[in-house]
Amino acid sequence: DVKVTQSSRYLVKRTGEKVFLECVQDMDHENMFWYRQDPGLGLRLIYFSYDVKMKEKGDIPEGYSVSREKKERFSLILESASTNQTSMYLCASVGPGVVDEQFFGPGTRLTVL
Amino acid sequence: AQSVTQLGSHVSVSEGALVLLRCNYSSSVPPYLFWYVQYPNQGLQLLLKYTTGATLVKGINGFEAEFKKSETSFHLTKPSAHMSDAAEYFCAVTTGAGSYQLTFGKGTKLSVIP
């Protein structure tokens, strides 16, 4: 079974802090994604990566950056956390098939005070 | 561009009753469609997907969905609701063919009343 893990389930940070959210997948998937989930808004794509060191902006990249130094690891970085970045963050990966499903991690609930 | 509309942010059904969660999509090319379920404090899990071929798709936990091109719909059904079905359900669309990005609906929270 594909396993996608995220470094923290719950995280509390202060405004202005630099925040790192880590995601690791164990199935050698090339494509990885970061979403944020907010009530009533569903999932919105922040960034995705289709290969090591490659990244593409999603629908809401402002205030975020990403890093993909190794194939299995995709990091989301909040350079200077703000209260409006309080949210659930979900990482996903997908295999090389044309319509393979995305596999999701358990999520990190981030609170910025 | 593609989009997904899920009608009803909250749906309540009695245990044993029919579950019907509605999803309509728009896509300029033939779509590939997914339903995901999210249980409290968990990530998303695939329920079922439509790619090509048979338009009635069966998934896990007794759920099924029918792709209706003429209605641009992909509604999710289950004949008899169980308490364990209480969760949030997301419909998603992709154009496939090398595009791995999904566009999600805003979700429908299903409550099951005993």
Side-chain angles (χ1 to χ4, degrees):
Chain A
D1 279 352
V2 174
K3 193 167 184 182
V4 180
T5 57
Q6 295 184 229
S7 51
S8 304
R9 293 299 304 273
Y10 300 92
L11 209 53
V12 180
K13 296 291 182 181
R14 297 207 173 272
T15 300
E17 279 193 79
K18 190 168 185 176
V19 181
F20 292 86
L21 303 182
E22 301 279 327
C23 174
V24 177
Q25 50 91 6
D26 66 358
M27 280 299 290
D28 204 34
H29 285 169
E30 294 182 342
N31 302 281
M32 297 186 73
F33 304 81
W34 275 107
Y35 298 91
R36 66 175 282 175
Q37 181 182 10
D38 300 289
L41 297 179
L43 276 74
R44 293 180 291 168
L45 182 64
I46 305 171
Y47 267 96
F48 67 99
S49 169
Y50 52 89
D51 203 350
V52 175
K53 297 192 184 296
M54 306 302 287
K55 61 185 179 184
E56 292 284 344
K57 292 181 180 179
D59 299 319
I60 52 164
E62 296 78 18
Y64 304 94
S65 62
V66 290
S67 173
R68 185 123 181 247
E69 296 296 320
K70 293 185 177 181
K71 193 174 186 179
E72 68 270 19
R73 189 179 299 269
F74 191 34
S75 302
L76 180 69
I77 303 158
L78 287 66
E79 295 289 343
S80 178
S82 64
T83 55
N84 63 13
Q85 293 179 309
T86 291
S87 186
M88 170 72 91
Y89 290 88
L90 292 165
C91 175
S93 72
V94 64
V98 173
V99 278
D100 277 357
E101 66 178 277
Q102 289 193 12
F103 292 88
F104 284 82
T108 295
R109 187 167 294 280
L110 173 68
T111 301
V112 182
L113 302 176
Chain B
Q2 55 208 26
S3 65
V4 175
T5 302
Q6 291 183 239
L7 292 176
S9 58
H10 288 88
V11 171
S12 292
V13 300
S14 297
E15 192 174 16
L18 172 72
V19 176
L20 170 60
L21 304 182
R22 299 177 187 273
C23 172
N24 288 88
Y25 69 91
S26 69
S27 176
S28 57
V29 297
Y32 299 93
L33 296 154
F34 302 77
W35 275 101
Y36 283 85
V37 61
Q38 185 180 35
Y39 298 104
N41 298 315
Q42 294 187 26
L44 276 67
Q45 176 185 358
L46 182 71
L47 270 180
L48 49 78
K49 66 181 178 184
Y50 168 78
T51 55
T52 57
T55 56
L56 182 63
V57 181
K58 295 187 185 299
I60 62 172
N61 302 337
F63 284 92
E64 61 183 35
E66 187 171 11
F67 170 60
K68 292 188 177 180
K69 184 178 178 181
S70 61
E71 298 177 7
T72 61
S73 69
F74 191 56
H75 301 331
L76 182 71
T77 60
K78 182 175 181 178
S80 176
H82 192 273
M83 296 298 294
S84 61
D85 295 327
E88 191 159 19
Y89 293 80
F90 293 92
C91 182
V93 63
T94 182
T95 55
S99 168
Y100 302 105
Q101 295 183 63
L102 289 176
T103 298
F104 286 87
K106 294 184 177 181
T108 298
K109 188 164 286 188
L110 175 67
S111 299
V112 182
I113 303 164

